Amino acid sequence: MVGPPSILSSSATPTQKSIYTQQTTPYGTNSSKLNPDRDGLQPSAAGNGPRTLSSSTMSFAPRGSSLNPSPAPGSFSSNLRSQLAPSRAGSNQDVNYSMVNLERLDEDDGMQPEQVISILRESLNREMKIKEGSENMLEALNTKKAKQTKEQRQRVEAELNSSNQKIKELRNQISELQRPKLPTTPTKSRMESLFQSNGLRSPPSAAKSAGSDFDEPTESPTYALAEILQALELEGLTPDYYVGHANNLVELFKRYPTLKSLIKKSNADVEREQALKFIRAFLDVKGGVHEVSRSVIRTIAAVAEHSEDRLRAICIETLAEVMVRDPALLVASGGLRPLADALGEGTYEASESLTAAFLFLLDAPQRRKYLRSGYELEALFTPFTDSLFAQEKILKQNSRSIAYALKSWPGLMALSMYNFRAVRSLISSLMLPNPTIRETVIDLLYSLLRIKSPFWATSFLAGRRLTTYGRVATLKAAGTKPVPEEESSDKNFVDHYTALLLAVLISSDMMPGLLQVTREAENSVLKRKTTLLIGEVLKLASRLLPSTWSSDLQLLPELFAAASHFGDDERFDATGTVYQISSVSRTLYRSAPNATGALVNTSNSSNDDNLASLEDQPKSNPAVTLDETTFRQLLVETQVLSSTNPVKWKWDIILKIIEGPLLNGKRLDEAIKASKFIKRIMSFYRPFKYKFAEVRNTRINQKYIKVGCALMHTLLQTTEGVKYLADNKLLRQIAECLAQCDPTSGLTAQSPMFSKERLSETLCCGYFAMLGTLSGDVKGLQMLDRWRMINMMYHIIDLKQRPDLIKLLLSNFDYSLQGHPRVLLSKALTAGSKEIRIHATNVLRKYSKGSKPNGTTTQGVSDSKWAIQLLVTQLYDPEVEVCATAIKILEEACNRKNYLEYIVECRPALDHLGEIGAPLLLRFLSTSIGYHYLDGLDYISNEMDDWFLGRNDTYVGVIEASLARAFVEMPEESSHRMSVDEESFDMDADTDAHVPPHFYRELTRTKEGCKLLRDKGHFDEFASTIRDYGMLSDDAELILKVKGCLWAVGNVGSMELGAPFLEESVHGLEILSEYGWDSNTTTMGTSLGLCIPQRLNKLFSYQTWQHEKVSDIFMTKEQKNTVALAKTDDDFVSNRILELIVDLGNTVLQKRAMTELMHIKSKKVPNFRQPALFRKVMILLESHHFRLTVRRFVIELFDRSVLRRIVFEESEEDGLASEDDSASEGRTERQRSISDVSRS
């Protein structure tokens, strides 16, 4: 088969080449493409032979394009070189230069592989941003005239290709570095090139050895030694190989004479590592930390303070674990200082775990006393307030730790001390003219407030205007309507904490700081990011905060005051900022559904039926009644009639025409017969034209799928459209592509159009969205049946090898009509694999809520009965995961009362599911019908006793774990590849962030439940527990019980019938208001379930505590006497040694003391071989702080036999004898032979 030309002439843009070139794609189609002019599914005479392109395919290339064959690999095309030489030369040089630099990085012995990978990742992130910017620029250029932007488009496309090449190379290098490397046997290794005289590296000259200032390139001797030794371990090689490496080893020892000491340290590192593992083994045993002495902890702390020590990171981790298990031991041993230094300096990469250890201490008063009130965590903010020494890596790392702290109650309470001093210092760093600090703080605020950037944020940050997105957002908002919920309080419980955190940030002057960045920042991207953040904060405040907070915030008084100073030139910047914020706010409002829409619907539920019935009626489109002149002018503006290149077409105008005038049969007939408008668009979508089917699957290109689905819907609305669609080759070719995947059809292809790779990489997946549009209409189903596509789908459902294809079919079908689609779904629910059954169950989610595919909702339960019945059937699936999925969906459907009642009528049996079915049974309690149904099963009384006796406490653990999971860092948004069934996978998002159902909450929804609760007297028991033990802080079991009682009381009081349990005949909002809490309500006065204290300082009223000193923790009177005795000795020399060792802890006296100690040792006095003196020195090392180098120095002063004598408890005479034996054993064979000869 001959595809579209692979080498286009200079008139073709690179975009056309990348989209429509067949040879450059990884999907070969030579043997799979059949003749487009023959009918349907009938095989040709040549079988599956090559197919030829029709004339329309050949005319798709631009006029004047070259039809020369593609050059062979390794040859050059003069046309391509002359066309792209100016724009690609620089890019190729950049690629080569970057690759050379990366090779040099890889060859640098002084740089660890982790550092090289970090540098490569930074380069990769930079190239990803360049690629994204190039794609946005191409999108912007597509809206302009092609002739005016031809050269610019070529340059941008060349830059995009260059970025893609760099990204590929960088990813390959990162994967190579991350792959575990095994020792190899190269003929000439890197060490041989370093140490052999081959001109690459000359030996040191006499001038350099005499003290020249010019230094040679440094080489890590230990790394070189390790590599040579590793090469010598290989067996079975030639003698020349071993001789060469041995010569390299000799030359290495000559070059680095001190390498022997390094070898000893390397060997000692292995022993130190094993010793540290032995100490950590104590931490894994219950109570084992109490067996670790202070001297050991001090030694670990000394290693943790040494920044260049290889074991520093693991020592810091060990100290953090000791701090969690026994904080008193750590503080008494001086281990808190290295942890605080590592936290503030940002040198420890796992800073979040270190922050968690400090938060654990701050969480309880009995542990909090070991920390200084409000100081340890404030060290995290040091890099932000010191702009001269701010480093991006440290800023990023500390920002993650700050986010971790502020997303927890202990961290928020501790950092809010002293009138939010720490938070204010963070916000005030926005005033510093440092772009790195400002960008890091703004990214931190995005993370803290859990703000997800809208889909147009990337283009907006790149400089695009917002007017384009306003139209798209308006269409999106118009097509969707929030589902009216009966239960308005089932909301994301993270919102309450986010509201409180937002109030703290606003109180810390966040808005003035952000406004100053928008006025002073020189970086346009940073300014736009800040503007977007201001818009998101205003939107978040209006949704989460009470009106007393949000109303003043929306006014932005500082900004408007600056904009109204007409005599000041700065007012122009302020005015521009006002415009930008207003534009962003409008776009955010249009692009997101109203968060409180569901709540408003519940307050006006009496008018819902009438409003829904009106909105379900199709509105008359004014564009349908266009006159003939205007209609033809629109057709011309689309560029479809003047160009066969789809890139040049105006797709927004095409969509407007398809959804407007073409709904009129007369206009559609005119577009079909009097012009080539419909013909060319349908030709673009035909699979074997390889136009639409070869477009890359990106977010920008999703417009083609949207237009295709709109075209299918429009053609089904009129008789002319149905006839044209039935006779067109589009459905025939789609059926042929589908038959390639049907094993019973007899059609095969080497590379099927619907292969797994094509469906993920190209827009071939869009054909299933079009088939889904057809399945929502009776005439469309008839067409699918005509081309036997329904039969093929039944066969494909049975394919175990193609779950991706089955998921696409199930996700895109419209099940609103009774027919084959529902039968297919039912078959997948029962006969599919476990993965397919779970996916098919999730497909039922939107139909179980009464949602239609077009986004509208229905009030009656009749349209959802079939979905609910299938979900109830799924409760009996043999796989627990399938049952759990069905339980979640049914639980969501229970938010509407009529749906809940129908589910109860189905009488599902949930006994076999145990705890999994408990949430659904709890929802049954919210209606009288469900209450009596469960009461008949004797479920209520048994469940009530279980909750009262223990399930309340379990609920605390569940909700705290859910809160912790919800605060995990949000995953990175993928802005490249898209999925047609994306919405079906988003259905499971944030399910854990909602409040789990509580038994007493559901019980108090009905009068029968309230009566039972009053008769049982459980509420009074909860209230008395809170009164008696509410302020307890030292008994973990009672604290857990108080928490469970608080959740029970809160859930009871949140219900309208349960509020009187708190205080007779008083509404919950009034109770909160009396005690100083502002509640968030809608404009109609309906509570949104969120409240903020009127005075934040009163809530964050951490009182300063008395800090425990080190000497007050462990130094008892007996221990102090022991330390005092250890500082003196009867022997004069020993006494002097002890005095000098004490002086080693003084930095002023340290050098003199070390010199004198070395002088004493040089005299070979016997004191350094005395175990008694060694024990006293150990007591001094345990009770005083010494650096790691000093500790090594002190240990090396003593003879090695001292430690052996202490371990084996030998006497002094035995020790001297053993020393003589060891001395004789230490002689070499040559020395013994010489002495023997002399004796003879």
Side-chain angles (χ1 to χ4, degrees):
M1 114 94 205
V2 180
S6 61
I7 298 296
L8 304 179
S9 69
S10 58
S11 63
T13 65
T15 305
Q16 297 166 348
K17 299 175 187 177
S18 64
I19 295 179
Y20 305 114
T21 302
Q22 296 302 304
Q23 283 78 2
T24 58
T25 60
Y27 320 113
T29 54
N30 290 339
S31 62
S32 63
K33 301 175 184 177
L34 307 175
N35 192 339
D37 295 329
R38 67 180 179 80
D39 257 351
L41 306 177
Q42 302 172 359
S44 61
N48 290 333
R51 57 182 289 132
T52 58
L53 286 176
S54 62
S55 59
S56 60
T57 305
M58 298 302 294
S59 65
F60 176 71
R63 189 173 301 170
S65 62
S66 174
L67 299 179
N68 292 331
S70 171
S75 60
F76 296 89
S77 172
S78 58
N79 292 337
L80 187 61
R81 184 172 65 251
S82 61
Q83 173 192 349
L84 298 178
S87 60
R88 291 180 182 267
S91 299
N92 291 335
Q93 291 175 3
D94 293 340
V95 172
N96 296 332
Y97 180 71
S98 63
M99 292 304 108
V100 170
N101 283 341
L102 294 177
E103 290 175 1
R104 290 177 180 174
L105 284 176
D106 192 33
E107 293 179 357
D108 188 2
D109 291 333
M111 186 172 293
Q112 298 295 329
E114 294 78 6
Q115 296 174 333
V116 177
I117 292 176
S118 177
I119 294 175
L120 291 176
R121 288 189 187 279
E122 292 178 1
S123 302
L124 180 61
N125 293 334
R126 183 165 57 252
E127 292 300 331
M128 293 294 290
K129 292 180 180 179
I130 294 175
K131 176 186 176 183
E132 197 167 2
S134 301
E135 291 177 347
N136 293 330
M137 181 62 71
L138 280 177
E139 182 187 3
L141 292 176
N142 289 338
T143 61
K144 301 180 181 180
K145 294 184 178 180
K147 294 182 179 180
Q148 297 176 356
T149 61
K150 177 181 177 181
E151 296 181 358
Q152 188 177 3
R153 192 194 310 274
Q154 291 177 355
R155 290 196 300 270
V156 174
E157 189 66 32
E159 184 66 30
L160 181 60
N161 293 335
S162 173
S163 297
N164 288 330
Q165 183 179 357
K166 291 181 182 179
I167 290 171
K168 182 179 179 182
E169 293 292 337
L170 289 170
R171 284 176 174 170
N172 291 337
Q173 290 206 2
I174 291 174
S175 62
E176 287 294 331
L177 288 174
Q178 290 178 339
R179 186 178 303 164
K181 297 183 179 179
L182 298 175
T184 58
T185 58
T187 57
K188 189 173 184 180
S189 67
R190 186 160 61 93
M191 289 296 103
E192 294 178 77
S193 64
L194 285 173
F195 296 114
Q196 291 182 356
S197 299
N198 54 3
L200 296 179
R201 180 170 182 173
S202 58
S205 61
K208 294 177 183 177
S209 63
S212 173
D213 293 336
F214 179 78
D215 296 327
E216 292 186 5
T218 59
E219 178 76 21
S220 174
T222 54
Y223 183 82
L225 176 64
E227 191 162 297
I228 294 176
L229 294 177
Q230 187 180 28
L232 289 172
E233 289 177 358
L234 300 175
E235 300 179 358
L237 299 178
T238 61
D240 293 339
Y241 174 81
Y242 297 106
V243 172
H245 282 285
N247 291 333
N248 292 340
L249 183 61
V250 173
E251 189 171 348
L252 178 65
F253 282 124
K254 289 180 179 179
R255 188 182 300 276
Y256 301 102
T258 61
L259 191 58
K260 295 181 180 179
S261 63
L262 293 177
I263 294 173
K264 292 180 180 179
K265 289 186 178 180
S266 177
N267 292 338
D269 280 344
V270 177
E271 296 171 0
R272 294 167 64 224
E273 183 178 342
Q274 295 301 321
L276 190 57
K277 289 181 178 179
F278 177 70
I279 296 170
R280 289 180 60 83
F282 281 88
L283 305 181
D284 297 333
V285 181
K286 184 178 181 181
V289 68
H290 303 302
E291 303 298 328
V292 182
S293 65
R294 282 184 298 161
S295 58
V296 174
I297 303 299
R298 281 197 182 275
T299 305
I300 297 175
V303 177
E305 286 181 343
H306 199 262
S307 59
E308 298 179 358
D309 197 285
R310 190 174 65 89
L311 300 179
R312 180 174 184 265
I314 190 65
C315 286
I316 292 176
E317 182 180 346
T318 304
L319 291 177
E321 294 183 21
V322 173
M323 182 170 66
V324 171
R325 288 175 169 83
D326 193 347
L329 172 63
L330 180 92
V331 174
S333 305
L336 188 61
R337 178 181 175 182
L339 292 181
D341 292 342
L343 191 66
E345 295 171 1
T347 54
Y348 183 60
E349 295 184 357
S351 55
E352 291 95 333
S353 61
L354 195 55
T355 306
F358 280 96
L359 294 177
F360 176 76
L361 262 63
L362 289 169
D363 196 27
Q366 61 270 22
R367 299 189 297 263
R368 199 179 303 150
K369 63 183 180 180
Y370 298 112
L371 302 177
R372 294 173 296 172
S373 56
Y375 286 96
E376 267 72 15
L377 287 181
E378 288 188 357
L380 291 168
F381 298 84
T382 304
F384 293 91
T385 55
D386 192 356
S387 60
L388 297 179
F389 301 98
Q391 299 181 16
E392 184 176 2
K393 180 181 178 180
I394 296 178
L395 288 173
K396 297 290 185 183
Q397 188 160 303
N398 283 27
S399 68
R400 292 194 296 268
S401 299
I402 293 172
Y404 187 90
L406 287 176
K407 289 179 179 179
S408 65
W409 280 110
L412 181 60
M413 297 292 287
L415 295 176
S416 299
M417 294 180 66
Y418 308 109
N419 194 22
F420 311 106
R421 180 176 64 186
V423 182
R424 288 181 186 273
S425 67
L426 177 68
I427 299 300
S428 63
S429 63
L430 291 171
M431 310 294 180
L432 300 175
N434 189 317
T436 305
I437 293 179
R438 286 177 168 175
E439 185 173 2
T440 306
V441 173
I442 289 173
D443 291 339
L444 174 60
L445 294 176
Y446 270 101
S447 173
L448 289 175
L449 299 176
R450 301 177 58 81
I451 296 175
K452 295 182 179 180
S453 300
F455 66 93
W456 44 264
T458 304
S459 299
F460 170 70
L461 297 179
R464 295 285 312 276
R465 295 179 62 188
L466 289 176
T467 52
T468 304
Y469 303 104
R471 292 193 294 269
V472 176
T474 303
L475 291 174
K476 179 181 177 182
T480 60
K481 177 185 175 184
V483 180
E485 302 281 347
E486 289 288 339
E487 176 49 56
S488 61
S489 58
D490 183 21
K491 58 182 62 66
N492 191 321
F493 66 95
V494 180
D495 286 345
H496 210 156
Y497 190 88
T498 304
L500 185 61
L501 188 57
L502 178 61
V504 170
L505 293 172
I506 292 173
S507 301
S508 302
D509 301 327
M510 177 180 64
M511 292 304 293
L514 294 177
L515 292 174
Q516 182 168 345
V517 174
T518 59
R519 294 195 301 266
E520 297 179 357
E522 298 178 358
N523 188 348
S524 60
V525 176
L526 178 60
K527 186 178 294 187
R528 283 176 169 262
K529 183 185 289 188
T530 309
T531 304
L532 181 59
L533 177 59
I534 293 175
E536 293 279 7
V537 168
L538 295 177
K539 173 186 171 185
L540 202 62
S542 64
R543 184 171 68 90
L544 299 180
L545 296 182
S547 58
T548 54
W549 285 78
S550 59
S551 57
D552 296 336
L553 188 67
Q554 305 290 338
L555 299 177
L556 299 176
E558 299 88 353
L559 184 62
F560 280 95
S564 60
H565 289 170
F566 295 100
D568 193 352
D569 292 340
E570 293 183 358
R571 74 179 182 87
F572 297 106
D573 294 336
T575 305
T577 304
V578 171
Y579 170 76
Q580 289 283 0
I581 293 175
S582 176
S583 179
V584 167
S585 299
R586 288 197 305 269
T587 310
L588 286 173
Y589 177 78
R590 287 191 293 246
S591 61
N594 186 7
T596 59
L599 303 179
V600 175
N601 286 340
T602 58
S603 60
N604 299 327
S605 56
S606 59
N607 299 325
D608 276 350
D609 296 336
N610 296 332
L611 293 175
S613 61
L614 289 175
E615 293 194 9
D616 285 344
Q617 297 175 2
K619 299 179 180 179
S620 60
N621 195 332
V624 177
T625 58
L626 291 178
D627 58 90
E628 185 174 353
T629 305
T630 306
F631 175 65
R632 290 184 177 179
Q633 181 63 30
L634 279 176
L635 294 181
V636 172
E637 290 178 2
T638 61
Q639 304 291 325
V640 175
L641 303 179
S642 60
S643 174
T644 58
N645 184 2
V647 177
K648 298 181 180 180
W649 295 352
K650 306 295 183 183
W651 287 94
D652 53 341
I653 303 178
I654 294 175
L655 181 62
K656 180 180 178 181
I657 293 176
I658 290 175
E659 293 182 340
L662 293 187
L663 292 172
N664 188 324
K666 179 181 178 182
R667 297 295 180 210
L668 179 62
D669 190 61
E670 179 182 351
I672 294 173
K673 296 179 180 179
S675 70
K676 296 183 178 180
F677 180 78
I678 295 294
K679 179 181 179 182
R680 287 186 174 177
I681 293 180
M682 294 293 286
S683 176
F684 168 74
Y685 284 104
R686 281 165 58 184
F688 295 136
K689 289 292 185 179
Y690 298 101
K691 299 177 182 179
F692 171 80
E694 294 297 329
V695 179
R696 311 305 295 175
N697 187 11
T698 61
R699 184 178 294 275
I700 297 175
N701 294 332
Q702 295 302 301
K703 58 186 177 183
Y704 301 123
I705 298 179
K706 183 176 182 180
V707 173
C709 294
L711 181 61
M712 296 296 105
H713 178 266
T714 297
L715 291 176
L716 292 174
Q717 304 306 310
T718 58
T719 306
E720 296 84 355
V722 172
K723 183 177 183 303
Y724 179 79
L725 183 59
D727 297 337
N728 194 270
K729 297 179 181 179
L730 174 63
L731 295 182
R732 187 188 317 167
Q733 293 188 6
I734 294 177
E736 185 175 341
C737 295
L738 202 60
Q740 294 174 357
C741 302
D742 181 8
T744 63
S745 66
L747 290 180
T748 59
Q750 182 178 356
S751 178
M753 184 67 69
F754 293 156
S755 65
K756 187 175 183 179
E757 292 77 13
R758 282 184 178 273
L759 292 178
S760 61
E761 298 289 342
T762 67
L763 291 187
C764 286
C765 55
Y767 288 117
F768 292 91
M770 300 177 194
L771 294 179
T773 304
L774 293 175
S775 65
D777 190 279
V778 177
K779 298 181 287 293
L781 286 174
Q782 292 173 354
M783 293 183 191
L784 295 180
D785 194 33
R786 174 191 176 188
W787 295 111
R788 298 180 177 84
M789 280 191 265
I790 298 294
N791 293 338
M792 298 177 198
M793 292 173 187
Y794 277 111
H795 298 152
I796 291 174
I797 290 292
D798 295 330
L799 280 179
K800 306 298 183 184
Q801 300 85 3
R802 293 300 306 276
D804 58 314
L805 190 60
I806 300 174
K807 289 180 181 179
L808 275 176
L809 285 171
L810 298 177
S811 301
N812 289 282
F813 264 162
D814 188 339
Y815 303 99
S816 55
L817 296 179
Q818 178 69 35
H820 288 292
R822 293 188 184 180
V823 179
L824 282 168
L825 180 61
S826 179
K827 183 178 181 181
L829 287 169
T830 54
S833 63
K834 173 184 173 181
E835 179 185 4
I836 296 301
R837 298 204 305 274
I838 293 176
H839 184 86
T841 306
N842 277 320
V843 169
L844 290 170
R845 185 183 301 265
K846 58 183 177 182
Y847 294 96
S848 65
K849 297 179 181 179
S851 302
K852 294 182 179 180
N854 58 4
T856 59
T857 58
T858 58
Q859 293 296 319
V861 73
S862 56
D863 294 331
S864 300
K865 282 186 176 180
W866 66 274
I868 293 176
Q869 291 172 357
L870 290 177
L871 286 171
V872 172
T873 305
Q874 291 303 97
L875 297 178
Y876 308 104
D877 192 276
E879 294 291 341
V880 178
E881 290 85 347
V882 180
C883 301
T885 305
I887 287 289
K888 289 182 180 180
I889 299 174
L890 288 173
E891 187 182 352
E892 294 173 6
C894 289
N895 289 333
R896 302 179 65 179
K897 186 176 180 180
N898 50 354
Y899 282 45
L900 173 58
E901 293 177 351
Y902 181 74
I903 294 174
V904 175
E905 290 177 8
C906 293
R907 303 181 68 84
L910 302 175
D911 296 341
H912 63 290
L913 296 178
E915 292 295 328
I916 298 177
L920 184 60
L921 291 175
L922 288 181
R923 299 306 302 269
F924 288 178
L925 286 175
S926 59
T927 61
S928 297
I929 298 177
Y931 179 88
H932 292 294
Y933 168 68
L934 295 177
D935 191 32
L937 299 176
D938 201 19
Y939 167 82
I940 298 178
S941 58
N942 294 333
E943 190 74 6
M944 194 171 187
D945 293 338
D946 288 344
W947 276 80
F948 183 74
L949 296 176
R951 294 279 290 279
N952 257 341
D953 303 341
T954 307
Y955 182 84
V956 176
V958 170
I959 200 166
E960 290 183 352
S962 300
L963 184 62
R965 284 195 302 268
F967 273 131
V968 173
E969 201 65 36
M970 289 181 293
E972 296 181 1
E973 298 177 4
S974 57
S975 58
H976 304 286
R977 191 172 300 163
M978 297 290 293
S979 174
V980 174
D981 58 339
E982 185 182 29
E983 293 181 359
S984 64
F985 292 105
D986 286 345
M987 294 185 293
D988 290 332
D990 291 334
T991 53
D992 288 338
H994 289 80
V995 181
H998 197 283
F999 175 81
Y1000 290 98
R1001 177 190 181 89
E1002 306 301 327
L1003 187 66
T1004 50
R1005 291 179 185 273
T1006 59
K1007 295 180 179 179
E1008 297 88 343
C1010 291
K1011 182 178 183 301
L1012 179 63
L1013 179 61
R1014 189 173 287 107
D1015 295 340
K1016 288 277 189 177
H1018 288 185
F1019 189 87
D1020 296 333
E1021 292 289 339
F1022 296 149
S1024 62
T1025 302
I1026 296 173
R1027 293 191 192 99
D1028 296 340
Y1029 306 107
M1031 303 306 295
L1032 199 66
S1033 60
D1034 55 354
D1035 191 331
E1037 186 176 349
L1038 283 177
I1039 291 176
L1040 180 63
K1041 194 167 190 63
V1042 169
K1043 287 182 179 180
C1045 293
L1046 284 171
W1047 278 109
V1049 169
N1051 277 282
V1052 170
S1054 63
M1055 294 290 99
E1056 184 176 357
L1057 297 177
F1061 282 91
L1062 297 176
E1063 188 172 340
E1064 292 296 332
S1065 70
V1066 179
H1067 198 272
L1069 293 179
E1070 297 179 7
I1071 300 174
L1072 291 174
S1073 179
E1074 290 178 2
Y1075 287 95
W1077 290 76
D1078 282 340
S1079 300
N1080 191 12
T1081 62
T1082 64
T1083 54
M1084 302 300 294
T1086 304
S1087 173
L1088 297 179
L1090 304 176
C1091 58
I1092 298 295
Q1094 297 172 359
R1095 294 174 54 194
L1096 283 177
N1097 292 331
K1098 188 175 180 180
L1099 175 64
F1100 297 103
S1101 57
Y1102 250 9
Q1103 300 295 329
T1104 58
W1105 55 86
Q1106 184 66 31
H1107 175 54
E1108 288 278 353
K1109 297 180 182 179
V1110 177
S1111 59
D1112 297 337
I1113 298 176
F1114 266 143
M1115 295 295 288
T1116 62
K1117 185 176 181 180
E1118 182 180 354
Q1119 292 170 339
K1120 291 179 181 179
N1121 293 334
T1122 304
V1123 174
L1125 292 175
K1127 293 181 180 180
T1128 60
D1129 194 274
D1130 296 336
D1131 183 74
F1132 175 77
V1133 178
S1134 298
N1135 190 70
R1136 183 56 183 165
I1137 292 174
L1138 293 173
E1139 291 176 355
L1140 293 173
I1141 289 177
V1142 173
D1143 291 342
L1144 289 176
N1146 190 330
T1147 55
V1148 177
L1149 305 176
Q1150 184 182 103
K1151 187 175 182 180
R1152 182 185 62 82
M1154 293 179 73
T1155 304
E1156 188 171 348
L1157 285 171
M1158 290 299 296
H1159 179 68
I1160 295 174
K1161 184 178 181 181
S1162 64
K1163 294 182 179 181
K1164 298 182 179 180
V1165 296
N1167 303 73
F1168 289 116
R1169 294 194 295 271
Q1170 297 175 357
L1173 180 61
F1174 185 80
R1175 288 191 177 94
K1176 289 187 176 183
V1177 171
M1178 289 297 103
I1179 293 175
L1180 294 179
L1181 293 180
E1182 180 182 9
S1183 57
H1184 293 77
H1185 173 73
F1186 296 95
R1187 294 188 177 275
L1188 180 63
T1189 53
V1190 176
R1191 288 178 172 269
R1192 285 177 178 171
F1193 173 77
V1194 173
I1195 297 298
E1196 291 174 357
L1197 287 175
F1198 286 86
D1199 193 273
R1200 294 185 179 180
S1201 62
V1202 175
L1203 186 59
R1204 181 173 54 82
R1205 291 164 59 186
I1206 293 176
V1207 173
F1208 291 102
E1209 298 181 354
E1210 295 178 354
S1211 62
E1212 190 169 352
E1213 292 77 8
D1214 295 338
L1216 293 175
S1218 62
E1219 288 175 15
D1220 294 339
D1221 295 340
S1222 62
S1224 63
E1225 292 174 0
R1227 294 182 300 169
T1228 63
E1229 184 68 27
R1230 179 176 177 81
Q1231 290 171 341
R1232 287 197 294 270
S1233 64
I1234 292 175
S1235 62
D1236 294 339
V1237 171
S1238 62
R1239 291 194 189 99
S1240 63

